[in-house]
């Protein structure tokens, strides 16, 4: 697959999948219970405007369409072939398609990689055919592909074909789970959201999740690209797409499942043991600006909110309710997702109070009381009139709405006009009661760019995500205008990266030094007398540490002496450290004892690199000591990282305040941390095939400057 | 109101509200749009079996019932009066009720405390009438009271009266918000849950939230008492009820809203500034065993789960699904709420694999694939057959279920039998799609004690709460069998608690000492020479601290010198500390300079007390230093606390591992922490009217023993 190119933005290759002029249905059947019939019916019912050619060994006509014995017999170019045949027929059919110049195919059949080794081999054969004939394939083992804007219902699933279509269709959806995808499609349709594209990518023999995302991002009729993801095979592509998506302001909204399957992987470094797969995905989504959502309801509600075409300018939200209890709950929800239920100014409150009853409350949440929902719906407009002009308010949430207002109701018309002339983001939602959840005027509201999302779709969570998306979008815009980061002065260190080794502290430190990361002054002594000489040179007090590639955790063998004050103590410490190491690890190769400067106290942080099976090298940053061990207060980003990634990494720590300086402490040198993070990023980028893991722990940050007190590098 | 007594368990006083033999409806109307008519109609339609007496100035009959001009004219004892009159009529009517011996009343009228001062006065008059005539009142400003088991529909709200009734009615519901309560009632009914009691307590002029809880807990037909709470006026009663509820195994399930309104209150102590109202509620719920839920859906789903009569034995859950994607999502959800999707043993997997297709997966989540939901529903039984005998499995979750099985389907009968003969908790749920969410056999399942909760009711979150409830219940049972805690040796300290003061460190320390809490050795010096003498006595190194009630934060004035090694240094430190204090706080009263033993390093924790406006004294515990300042890693419990509360407080900290000993460190003396917490609890219990706040910070814990290094007490 061609990767997206930052200059050329097109992937016309997938056009025959989404916009075929002609379709052949292979494996058509006359039996209305067979998928070959259901598929044909779906195309006809969907009103597909191009030619449809049913392929059937013997039948003359099915559903009034002329049949052909083979795709080769079709008297026209076939853009898309839909294979409703069993696994035993797939290859033969595909080859015939290839020979007839078919450009794309959908393969429903299962029995491929999902069943293990044998299926994987069969699937590879499909891929070979795809490559040979240049046929883009969706599937196998998929539910199909829909383009609801041209009647291309490329599926046999009645769940997909029986849903009513909403008129606005600009959100695309790609899914790695067929069944979950169908459920999401149906649930969306029930909420008045029809996806323009629905693509079940199945086993991704050829076209994958990222490819479909790419298509949707380039498609002028798609304004938001959503998806359900279990695992991405091509994160590099997703990353480039995400960058592009931010440039053109099309949100990529992905529900990534499998949070719990992270499991714990054995790893020699701290970084490795902390890098749960899900945490890495999380870091990846954050650094790329992909909107990660938690559930299918979020896909639906985020899409609906975004399609209203306004985005909130900030986090200040006012709730307007006719039930105090409901108002408080929505306020709780808003604040738990990071929106701000701000106190209204006295002036705003006074203005609102002028036109609402005395028993109603003009404080946020504004409670119009049951009167508004039962006898005086016109009350709903009063606070709106004032709030559209309140500079402190970004978002106005109606937690209930008059059920009876329709497009002919003057109040609704006034309501819409007020919203349209304002820069506030207005959300109308309702308590989710079946049969009473949808106010009559919803269509009219939506036509005028006012978001309506039912309460059971968790609109507040998505609203908060939308605010976050806007912030990310603005930040990305700014960043693109900033200059490139300065180049790092570095030396060639290939000779230091011995294969498949755990490097000793001094070897690891040397590598860091060559990339401009300052490490503690050190020298390896082979005898107590040499240790004294080095210590005299470095200056007291010093630290003694056993230096051995076989002893990554030196404290565990009692192989460290801190704060050694003079020559005599050095001699004693040398002997102790050496003996402890040889006694506790008799087989370890010992390079000697490292004599190091004793670093002043500072704030201890940790920087590490581990290799993720999906993303390759990922960089971790955290506060050192108990913060990393007990609180697991670390953050990940996929390498390479930008300066902004480094800043976000730092700021996303719960303990970030410790770096900014708490109470009487001065802030530490955060620029120095960013510098180390960028250098480590460059290091791992330069030697991705040589370096497996890095731990710089502790890395000590001062008010000015930063020093690596210990380091561990493991090579591949 | 009589508080619940631990020996006598009854509150017959409220019986006339829930089980009246006769009802008078005051303010009855002939106009079908008036609440006086709606209320009468509701009682008739509800099939209330007792006598109903409409009160109407002039009408002879309404809805075939004989009317009376006044309640005084009714020729029978009236148990319950329902006042459908306006606020101007309420007092007059209530007095007439009182004079006629009416035992209870429901008052719908609004215009009371909710409108402010004037309303509050009117409301007090209702309370006075209630007290004078001993009438129990629900309201005013409420939606009413239902007992769905005897047709007592004490409401005018069509939302409540028009809902179909489910046959199982054993969950009670009390609400402080009328509208939110009605919405919850309707939503519950739509999920097949009919509350036996629905009580909207309105402004709680007489009967409050806790009173209704008390009634429901004592009612033999109620197995679970739920409620929506905005603020409890009588937390002491709620606490006693919660204890009783745990004894009789009736969960109290409360949705407490207003999390976000915590706000920040000005307070001189750390503890005070950290005690957000919601955190205190949280601690209260935890220590009392009240199940705190987040949303109305949890009230519904927890009730449904509990009513199935089984509780899960543990947290190990297996998911059985026909969609891989849906299975993974449910697994994510389970783990995020603390359930454990455990790996199945090879033996169990092998047994399951025997009877499911090769392309299905017997790993947890067990994926039967679309085949099960479309063509082979009987597959759903296969894993169940094996899992009912798997000792590692506590919970079995069906994330889909055959839609067509009904009570006559042999497979459903077999399914039910398997569940009934097993100790596993079985939950059947579905993806929430309108019109396709409820399998036919749900009634049959529920009749046989198998829980069914639709996916949009967040059943997994409630399931996790149910597991937690069972754990709390078991723990409480154990505790009741344990001996009483030992008595604390303490002295009378009233003379030390000067009124309305911030006590100095040495004054505060003296108080702690008298309660057996060890503090650092200290003496207050008035001169540098005296300081040296004291230091010589205490032993070097020492600490010097300015001692002044006006300087609670001594570091801020540079009023502390640590690690002072000898006489000369003491002299210098004395002068510096004294001068810094007088320069920075020229008006402060200075008692002198406190000379203290320099305590060895240990783990720093903080213990504090603050006065909550609702709960009175609450006790805080946390890790000291940056952990409390940056990570806010603290927990609260309402005083007095039990030994178990103290343990839970400790264990609920994120940083609890630091106390258990991380890496090479030994665990600290946790018994000593518990001891201090219990002593502080006793101290604040002994002097609730004298002590406003306490901060013991830092309290230093060692492998053996504990010492308060600094202390601050503020009196009332």
């Amino acid at each position: 697959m061609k990767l997206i190119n930052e200059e050329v933005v097109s992937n016309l290759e997938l056009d025959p999948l989404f916009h075929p002029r002609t379709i052949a249905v292979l494996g058509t059947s006359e039996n209305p219970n067979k998928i070959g019939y259901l598929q044909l019916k779906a195309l006809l019912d969907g009103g597909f405007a191009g030619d449809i050619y049913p392929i059937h060994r013997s039948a003359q006509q099915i559903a009034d369409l002329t049949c052909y014995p083979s795709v080769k017999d079709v008297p026209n170019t076939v853009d898309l072939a839909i294979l409703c045949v069993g696994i035993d027929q797939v290859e033969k059919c595909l080859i015939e398609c290839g020979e007839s110049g078919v450009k794309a195919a959908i393969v429903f059949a299962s029995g491929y990689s999902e069943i293990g080794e044998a299926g994987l081999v069969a699937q590879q054969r499909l891929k070979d055919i795809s490559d040979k004939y240049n046929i883009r394939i969706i599937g196998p083992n998929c539910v199909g592909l829909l383009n609801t804007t041209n009647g291309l219902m490329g599926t046999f699933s009645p769940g997909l074909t029986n849903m009513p279509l909403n008129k606005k269709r600009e959100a695309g959806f790609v899914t790695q789970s067929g069944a979950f995808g169908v459920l999401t499609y149906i649930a969306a349709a029930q909420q008045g959201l029809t996806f323009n594209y629905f693509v079940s990518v199945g086993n991704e023999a050829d076209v994958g999740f990222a490819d479909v995302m790419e298509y949707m991002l380039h498609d002028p009729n798609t304004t938001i690209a959503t998806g359900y993801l279990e695992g991405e095979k091509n994160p590099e592509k997703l990353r480039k797409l995400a960058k592009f998506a931010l440039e053109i302001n099309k949100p990529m909204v992905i529900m990534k499942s499998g949070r719990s399957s992270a499991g714990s992987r054995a790893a020699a470094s701290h970084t490795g043991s902390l890098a749960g797969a899900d945490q890495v995905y999380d870091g990846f989504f954050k650094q790329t600006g992909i909107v990660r959502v938690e559930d299918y309801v979020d896909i639906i509600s985020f899409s609906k909110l975004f399609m209203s075409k306004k985005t909130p300018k900030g986090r200040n939200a006012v709730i307007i309710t006719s039930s105090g209890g409901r108002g408080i709950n929505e306020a709780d929800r808003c604040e738990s997702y990071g929106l701000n239920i701000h106190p209204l100014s006295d002036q705003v409150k006074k203005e609102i109070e002028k036109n609402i009853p005395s028993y109603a409350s003009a404080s946020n949440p504004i409670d119009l009381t049951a009167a508004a929902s039962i006898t005086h719906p016109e009350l709903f407009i009063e606070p709106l009139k004032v709030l559209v002009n309140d500079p402190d308010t970004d978002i106005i949430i109606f937690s209930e709405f008059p059920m009876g207002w329709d497009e002919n109701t003057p109040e609704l018309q006034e309501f819409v006009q007020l919203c349209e002339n304002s820069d506030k983001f207005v959300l109308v939602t309702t308590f989710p009661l079946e049969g009473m959840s949808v106010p009559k005027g919803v269509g009219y509201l939506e036509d005028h760019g006012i978001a309506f999302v039912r309460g059971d779709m968790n609109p507040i969570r998505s609203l908060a995500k939308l605010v976050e998306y806007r912030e990310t979008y603005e930040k990305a815009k700014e960043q693109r205008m900033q200059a490139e980061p300065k180049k790092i002065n570095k030396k060639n260190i290939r000779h230091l990266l011995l294969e498949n080794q755990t490097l000793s502290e001094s070897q690891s430190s040397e590598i860091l030094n060559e990339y401009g990361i300052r490490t503690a002054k050190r020298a390896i002594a082979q005898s107590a007398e040499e240790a004294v000489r080095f210590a005299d040179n470095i200056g007291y007090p010093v630290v003694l540490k056993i230096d051995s590639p076989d002893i990554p955790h030196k404290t565990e063998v009692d192989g460290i002496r801190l704060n050694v004050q003079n020559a005599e103590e050095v001699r004693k410490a040398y002997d102790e450290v050496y003996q402890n190491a040889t006694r506790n690890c008799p087989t370890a190769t010992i390079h000697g004892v490292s004599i190091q400067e004793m670093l002043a106290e500072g704030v201890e942080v940790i920087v590490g690199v581990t290799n993720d099976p999906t993303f390759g090298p990922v960089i971790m940053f955290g506060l050192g000591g108990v913060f990393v061990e007990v609180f697991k207060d670390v953050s990940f980003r996929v390498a390479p990282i930008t300066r902004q990634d480094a800043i976000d990494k730092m700021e996303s720590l719960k303990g970030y305040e410790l770096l900014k300086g708490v109470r009487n402490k001065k802030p530490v040198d955060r620029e120095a941390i960013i510098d180390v993070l960028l250098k480590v990023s460059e290091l791992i980028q330069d030697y991705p095939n040589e370096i497996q893991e890095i731990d710089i722990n502790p890395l000590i940050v001062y008010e000015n400057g930063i020093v690596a007190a210990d380091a561990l590098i493991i090579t591949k």
Side-chain angles (χ1 to χ4, degrees), chain A residues 353 356-362 367-369:
Chain A
E353 274 162 2
I356 63 173
S358 61
Y359 50 82
S361 159
D367 180 7
L368 301 170
T369 78

Side-chain angles (χ1 to χ4, degrees), chain A residues 143 160 173-188 195 198 200 227-230 255-257 293-300:
Chain A
V143 177
L160 294 172
F173 176 64
V174 48
T175 177
Q176 283 186 335
S177 160
F180 195 80
V182 171
L183 293 170
T184 303
Y185 182 89
I186 298 172
F195 294 116
F198 166 95
S200 154
Y228 168 81
L229 179 68
E230 294 182 348
M255 170 182 175
K256 164 72 180 71
S257 71
V293 294
E294 290 174 45
D295 210 344
Y296 75 98
V297 296
D298 304 315
I299 292 179
I300 297 169

